[in-house]
Amino acid sequence: MAENSFFLSGDKVLLKPFSTSDINDDYVGWLNDPNVVRFSNQRFLKHDMESCLRYQASFEGTDNLFMIVRRLLDDRPIGTVTAYVARHHGTVDMGIMIGDRSVWGMGYGQDAWGTLMNWFLGREDIRKLTAGTLACNFGMIKLMERSGMSLETVRKAQEIVEGHPEDILYYAKFHGS
Ligand SMILES: CC(C)(COP(=O)(O)OP(=O)(O)OC[C@H]1O[C@@H](n2cnc3c(N)ncnc32)[C@H](O)[C@@H]1OP(=O)(O)O)[C@@H](O)C(=O)NCCC(=O)NCCS
């Protein structure tokens, strides 16, 4: 979605399409922070301005969304959300990164997640919303369960995290449920 005027507002955050002006040292720093990417495959990569521009460009001309999460309080960027839309199936797979660790545990992630999820599930063309996370990502599991998503399936011992095989949990919520 290219329109610059598009935005979604929650109680605590504003979501806007990610723009090249959002790529700065702080943003690149989130992606290179081992604590932020601890449970993501991004931890195997080193990010820089170029890799961020390439990632942003991968959304252009698609149905998918890449949005910056800003605090309503002071407009400070604190993270990003992604949504991969399969138009022919009426499904959306969402992801989130609250990159500014100083605001973790304050409800911003929950608000960003709920705001984007409810916007999609309010659309007639979307049947189902999905997301996945490692079983050791307790914050993400809590966030998905509290947003009304249900555990759909488990891929046992799917990835190695800090030397141990970990399950990946897949959650879902249906339109109208
Ligand atoms: C997971 C993440 C999105 C949570 O964002 P957040 O803004 O800290 O979440 P919230 O403050 O809205 O928290 C949601 C709930 O989970 C809890 N929570 C957050 N992190 C937690 C943790 N590590 N362990 C247990 N509970 C946790 C919060 O305390 C809150 O519950 P509460 O209100 O009962 O206290 C954020 O930590 C993050 O972006 N992590 C790095 C990237 C990532 O892992 N993304 C998901 C990949 S699948």
Side-chain angles (χ1 to χ4, degrees), residues 31-92:
L31 293 165
N32 289 324
D33 179 341
N35 291 298
V36 173
V37 295
R38 185 174 171 208
F39 301 132
S40 155
N41 284 316
Q42 297 303 320
R43 69 187 181 279
F44 302 119
L45 307 171
K46 170 101 175 79
H47 287 276
D48 55 24
M49 298 279 178
E50 281 297 311
S51 65
C52 292
L53 282 168
R54 273 199 306 275
Y55 184 66
Q56 188 211 350
S58 73
F59 286 82
E60 280 165 20
T62 73
D63 292 330
N64 306 329
L65 280 184
F66 180 33
M67 303 184 89
I68 188 90
V69 179
R70 291 178 177 272
R71 284 208 297 199
L72 278 177
L73 187 69
D74 53 7
D75 206 38
R76 182 168 132 196
I78 57 168
T80 57
V81 284
T82 54
Y84 287 87
V85 180
R87 185 201 305 197
H88 301 294
H89 301 296
T91 58
V92 181

Side-chain angles (χ1 to χ4, degrees), residues 83-131:
Y84 287 87
V85 180
R87 185 201 305 197
H88 301 294
H89 301 296
T91 58
V92 181
D93 193 64
M94 273 174 45
I96 185 167
M97 177 186 73
I98 300 298
D100 180 346
R101 282 196 287 124
S102 72
V103 305
W104 279 9
M106 295 177 170
Y108 294 112
Q110 190 78 54
D111 189 43
W113 190 261
T115 299
L116 187 59
M117 187 186 82
N118 290 332
W119 179 73
F120 273 118
L121 289 176
R123 282 171 40 168
E124 288 303 319
D125 58 334
I126 301 300
R127 293 184 307 111
K128 181 181 183 185
L129 196 135
T130 61

